[in-house]
């Protein structure tokens, strides 16, 4: 199959299409640039996708109306203007939505250079397979700099609608070195992990802190939706034996390594977030971050001061799966305060209008730099007491007063 230019591909689109655009490192920047230069090519069309905050920084709604199962700060203007339709779906449900009800006509995604009659999805294997299953036309945007991973999703060339020559910079995700409070948080979380466990984490500074604290563990395995550079450190240190993930995002060194790292298996969200598969993982420890937790155990992981800045993503899939796995447990990790200690991230109750990303019935273990609150099987008063005990010391009295007022209304 001959490769065509992004501009030539843009000129082939018919009006009124529903186009899935890959997110994370699979975002087809070269094609989006070509579409931006030809606004008429998207007449009457809709973009579908799951863009990731801090990675996909383009406002897709400037090109066409968007239906998204995740939110980014760049899409908030389009959300306010009615050009973005946000679906607050768990990742497992987002995969099912894209596989059928979304009615995607075409999927556009970056891939590694063709090899052996097929292309590798490189760093981003999460949602494209849903469109493959739905029978959508597939447009592979080739970037030779992307790794052809040893164990991942491959798409035969004869299944492709078009092969586009579209090298573009791969997004990098630097991680800050954990400070003292974050390091303490990491040690508390690591203390809940036992040798031989399977671990799920997200990415970011908190994960880096947990990984540093896991240095003395052995025989761990990873099963999750996303990995970063921290996983390489665990592999090299002999802590981690193998990993299953849908996405890799991080440094250039991480991307180079993915092309030759056979211990990492890349799978779709249909595998990584499947409820039955997660529940079948023995001793699964799901570790996820949050914005705030209230004294009932309800978790907000997607809204800050009334602004939708992210989404629940796969957190509920893993929280519920870990609670059902034999010996499994779910950990919500967050620093106890923000803005220099002036605000508590453990609050009496979530503010009106704040979505509950994890219900109190799903809450299991909450960790801050001040300790661990075990909530599974705890009654209402025990939950509040245990959460107040791991709040920032300067906020504990106010939290206790807030709980007393709430409790008096029960």
């Amino acid at each position: 199959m001959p490769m065509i230019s992004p501009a030539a591909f843009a000129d082939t689109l018919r009006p009124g299409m529903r186009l899935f655009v890959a997110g994370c490192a699979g975002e087809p920047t070269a094609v989006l640039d070509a579409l931006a230069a030809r606004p008429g090519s998207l007449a009457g069309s809709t973009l579908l996708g799951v863009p990731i905050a801090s990675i996909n920084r383009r406002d897709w709604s400037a090109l066409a109306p968007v239906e998204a199962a995740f939110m980014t700060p760049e899409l908030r203007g389009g959300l306010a203007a009615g050009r973005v339709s946000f679906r607050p779906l768990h990742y497992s449900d987002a995969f099912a939505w894209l596989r059928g009800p979304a009615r995607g006509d075409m999927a556009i995604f970056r891939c590694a250079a063709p090899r052996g009659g097929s292309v590798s999805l490189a760093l981003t294997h999460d949602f494209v397979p849903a469109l493959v299953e739905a029978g959508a036309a597939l447009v592979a945007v080739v970037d030779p700099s992307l790794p052809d991973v040893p164990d991942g999703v491959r798409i035969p060339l004869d299944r492709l609608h078009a092969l586009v020559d579209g090298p573009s910079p791969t997004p990098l995700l630097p991680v800050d070195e954990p400070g003292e409070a974050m390091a303490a948080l990491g040690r508390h979380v690591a203390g809940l992990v036992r040798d031989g466990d399977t671990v799920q984490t997200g990415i970011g500074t908190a994960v880096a802190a947990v990984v540093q604290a896991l240095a003395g563990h052995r025989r761990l395995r990873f099963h999750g939706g996303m990995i970063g550079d921290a996983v390489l450190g665990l592999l090299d240190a002999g802590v981690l034996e193998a990993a299953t993930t849908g996405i890799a995002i991080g440094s250039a060194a991480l991307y180079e390594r993915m092309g030759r790292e056979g211990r990492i298996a890349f799978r779709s969200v249909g595998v990584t977030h499947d409820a039955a598969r997660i529940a079948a993982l023995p001793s699964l420890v799901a570790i996820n971050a949050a914005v705030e937790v209230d004294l009932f155990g309800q978790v907000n992981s997607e809204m800050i001061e009334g602004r939708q800045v992210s989404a629940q993503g796969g957190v509920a899939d893993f929280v519920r799966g870990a609670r059902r796995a034999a010996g499994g447990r779910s950990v919500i990790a967050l620093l106890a305060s923000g803005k220099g200690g002036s605000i508590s991230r453990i609050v009496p109750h979530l503010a009106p209008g704040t979505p509950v990303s994890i219900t109190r019935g799903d809450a299991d273990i909450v960790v801050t730099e001040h300790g661990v609150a075990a909530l599974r099987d705890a009654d209402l008063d025990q939950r509040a007491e245990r959460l107040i005990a791991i709040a920032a010391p300067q906020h504990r009295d106010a939290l206790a007063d807030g709980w007393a007022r709430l409790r008096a209304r029960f």
Side-chain angles (χ1 to χ4, degrees):
M1 175 182 292
M3 281 200 286
I4 61 175
S5 70
F9 165 70
D11 290 338
T12 69
L13 293 178
R14 66 179 188 273
M17 296 186 72
R18 292 176 63 80
L19 307 171
F20 171 80
V21 178
C24 218
E27 185 178 23
T29 304
V31 166
L32 294 178
D33 288 344
L35 293 172
R38 294 164 176 76
S41 61
L42 290 176
S45 294
T46 300
L47 303 182
L48 313 172
V50 191
I52 304 300
S54 77
I55 299 171
N56 302 122
R57 297 181 177 275
R58 188 178 201 128
D59 177 10
W60 293 357
S61 69
L63 301 176
V66 173
E67 295 179 13
F70 211 87
M71 273 298 296
T72 69
E74 290 76 15
L75 291 180
R76 286 189 62 248
L79 182 66
R83 289 180 58 80
V84 174
S85 172
F86 170 54
R87 285 165 166 73
L89 301 171
H90 302 316
Y91 258 30
S92 55
D93 291 331
F95 190 87
W97 171 63
L98 289 168
R99 189 171 51 199
R103 296 179 294 107
D105 298 309
M106 179 178 286
I108 311 172
F109 52 90
R110 294 175 79 211
C111 68
R115 176 178 62 83
S118 64
V119 294
S120 165
L121 290 181
L123 301 169
T124 311
H125 299 238
D126 52 354
F127 289 106
V128 170
L131 279 298
V132 175
E133 293 180 28
L138 306 177
V139 177
V141 183
V142 176
D143 191 328
S145 70
L146 289 174
D148 189 323
V149 300
D151 186 0
V153 179
R154 304 192 68 84
I155 299 178
L157 292 177
D158 60 11
R159 177 64 177 82
L160 297 178
H161 170 76
L163 201 60
V164 178
D165 182 16
S168 60
T170 300
L172 303 175
L173 189 66
V175 176
D176 295 332
E177 184 67 21
E180 182 179 345
M182 195 69 81
L185 174 69
R187 289 192 294 272
H188 287 306
V189 173
L192 300 170
V193 179
R194 301 185 292 261
D195 288 351
D197 283 348
T198 298
V199 177
Q200 175 264 327
T201 66
I203 55 175
T205 306
V207 171
V210 172
V211 166
Q212 289 181 8
L214 287 173
H217 287 65
R218 290 295 180 269
R219 304 188 318 279
L220 299 183
R221 301 180 69 84
F222 179 94
H223 181 101
M226 186 177 291
I227 61 170
D229 288 77
V231 166
L232 294 185
L234 293 181
L235 285 169
D236 292 340
V239 174
L240 195 66
E241 294 181 341
T244 299
T245 187
I247 290 171
I249 189 74
S251 69
L254 173 72
Y255 303 153
E256 188 278 330
R257 178 74 168 270
M258 292 302 97
R260 53 187 173 84
E261 183 50 76
R263 291 172 291 180
I264 297 178
F266 286 86
R267 298 291 184 266
S268 75
V269 165
V271 173
T272 57
H273 292 68
D274 178 74
R277 285 184 172 89
I278 296 172
L281 296 169
S283 300
L284 172 64
V285 186
I287 304 167
N288 289 280
V291 174
E292 59 185 352
V293 179
D294 74 12
L295 295 180
F296 295 99
Q298 299 180 126
V299 178
N300 163 30
S301 62
E302 52 193 294
M303 189 171 280
I304 297 176
E305 296 179 348
R307 300 190 306 275
Q308 187 83 43
V309 297
S310 185
Q312 57 192 318
V315 62
D317 293 318
F318 286 111
V319 164
R320 292 173 178 172
R323 283 177 59 96
R324 287 159 177 73
R329 51 257 189 236
S330 166
V331 179
I332 298 299
L334 72 166
L335 292 179
S337 61
K339 293 188 176 180
S342 63
I343 63 167
S344 178
R345 297 179 68 189
I346 293 178
V347 297
H349 58 84
L350 298 182
T354 301
V356 177
S357 308
I358 300 172
T359 70
R360 63 180 182 174
D362 292 318
D364 197 355
I365 302 169
V366 177
V367 179
T368 73
E369 70 271 32
H370 299 292
V372 176
L375 304 185
R376 187 186 295 196
D377 302 326
D379 67 25
L380 290 176
D381 292 308
Q382 289 169 333
R383 284 167 175 256
E385 291 167 3
R386 293 172 187 180
L387 287 165
I388 291 169
I390 64 167
Q394 67 270 28
H395 296 294
R396 291 175 188 170
D397 288 344
L399 287 168
D401 290 342
W403 177 250
R405 289 192 295 273
L406 287 171
R407 190 69 173 85
R409 298 203 299 266
F410 289 177

